[in-house]
């Protein structure tokens, strides 16, 4: 199984690289600066340097992927001068539509799309713009020709696998979860054919939200 992980240099993307490699997947790491993730050298993984806010770089990166590669995107850019959350995913989705790799698992966050109504006013003030950008990315994906799954995790925490993370669909959800646990749950979704075309939320009730 070829897995391309976008946003692989740090944070959730780095956790995805580690988990999928441990599961025996053939991981291809994609990031603006892949060298920020030391695991790529440790595991001797192929990587592609790509600034996803530059359309041609995204097109070129997608062309380098083997046919039928499963793509996972954790890309985000909270408070960046050049946010990737929407435009980077728009370029990625467009490029994948023209490729032979049409499976994409997009990781956004609680508060996106129809869950915006459950986001607190404080959260909307603090990181609402990023959530709105991610919501636009979700919409672009949902109206594409890709085979997609959307995963909205709660607040991301450092920490190991807990095996207590929970997936749900719809309704009001609040909470936190470790990045490692999000990686595990994403792997679970990709093993489930029924996850195609659906949106999931995930939190870990054993993890304090603050």
């Amino acid at each position: 199984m070829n897995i391309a992980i976008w946003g692989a240099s740090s944070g959730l993307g780095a956790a995805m690289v580690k988990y999928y490699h441990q599961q025996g997947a053939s991981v291809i790491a994609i990031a603006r600066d892949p060298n920020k993730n030391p695991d790529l050298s440790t595991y001797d993984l192929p990587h592609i340097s790509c600034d996803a806010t530059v359309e041609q770089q995204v097109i070129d990166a997608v062309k380098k992927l083997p046919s039928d590669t499963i793509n996972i995107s954790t890309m985000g850019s909270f408070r960046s001068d050049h946010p990737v959350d929407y435009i980077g995913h728009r370029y990625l989705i467009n490029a994948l539509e023209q490729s032979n790799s049409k499976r994409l698992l997009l990781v956004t966050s609680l508060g996106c799309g129809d869950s915006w109504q459950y986001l607190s006013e404080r959260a909307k003030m603090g990181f609402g713009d990023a959530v709105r950008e991610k919501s636009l990315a979700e919409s672009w994906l949902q109206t594409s020709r890709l085979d997609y799954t959307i995963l909205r995790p709660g607040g991301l925490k450092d920490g190991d696998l807990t095996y207590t993370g929970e997936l749900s669909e719809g309704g009001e959800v609040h909470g936190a979860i470790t990045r490692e646990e999000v990686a595990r749950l994403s792997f679970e979704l990709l093993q489930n054919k029924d996850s195609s075309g659906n949106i999931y939320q995930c939190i870990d009730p054993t993890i304090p939200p603050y």
Side-chain angles (χ1 to χ4, degrees), residues 27-73:
V27 174
I28 303 164
I30 305 173
R32 183 175 297 177
D33 184 3
N35 293 323
K36 287 184 177 180
N37 185 350
D39 283 345
L40 303 187
S41 295
T42 301
Y43 302 145
D44 193 24
L45 297 178
H47 55 270
I48 299 171
S49 179
C50 174
D51 180 347
T53 65
V54 180
E55 185 173 19
Q56 190 59 52
Q57 289 192 29
V58 177
I59 292 170
D60 291 343
V62 168
K63 286 180 178 178
K64 295 176 182 177
L65 301 177
S67 294
D68 298 321
T69 294
I70 297 172
N71 287 264
I72 300 173
S73 181

Side-chain angles (χ1 to χ4, degrees), residues 2 9 11 23 27 71 74 84 89 92 112 126 131 142 145 174-175 178 184 189 197 205:
N2 292 311
S9 62
Q23 302 312 304
V27 174
N71 287 264
T74 66
V84 70
H89 285 115
L92 173 58
C112 287
V131 172
Q142 289 173 286
R145 298 187 301 276
H174 300 280
T178 67
R184 182 185 71 82
L189 286 175

Side-chain angles (χ1 to χ4, degrees), residues 12 107-110 151-156 175 177 182 200-203:
L12 180 57
V107 184
T108 57
S109 70
L110 289 182
L151 179 59
R152 298 169 177 167
L156 296 173
I177 189 167
V182 175
Y200 296 86
Q201 305 158 138
C202 64
I203 61 165

Side-chain angles (χ1 to χ4, degrees), residues 119-141:
L119 206 60
S120 70
E121 289 303 316
R122 180 179 179 181
K124 289 176 181 177
M125 290 292 293
F127 53 87
D129 284 353
V131 172
R132 293 170 70 192
E133 290 263 352
K134 291 178 188 294
S135 296
L136 290 171
E138 287 189 356
S139 179
W140 198 263
L141 178 57

Side-chain angles (χ1 to χ4, degrees), residues 15 19-20 27 31 37 94 96 148 159 173 196:
Y19 186 82
Y20 277 81
V27 174
N37 185 350
N94 290 352
L96 290 176
Y148 73 85
V173 175
S196 292

Side-chain angles (χ1 to χ4, degrees), residues 6 13 22 55 59 71 90-91 108 123 136 152 159 164 195 204:
W6 296 74
Q22 291 174 340
E55 185 173 19
I59 292 170
N71 287 264
R90 175 171 174 165
Y91 292 156
T108 57
L136 290 171
R152 298 169 177 167
T164 50
S195 70
D204 187 336

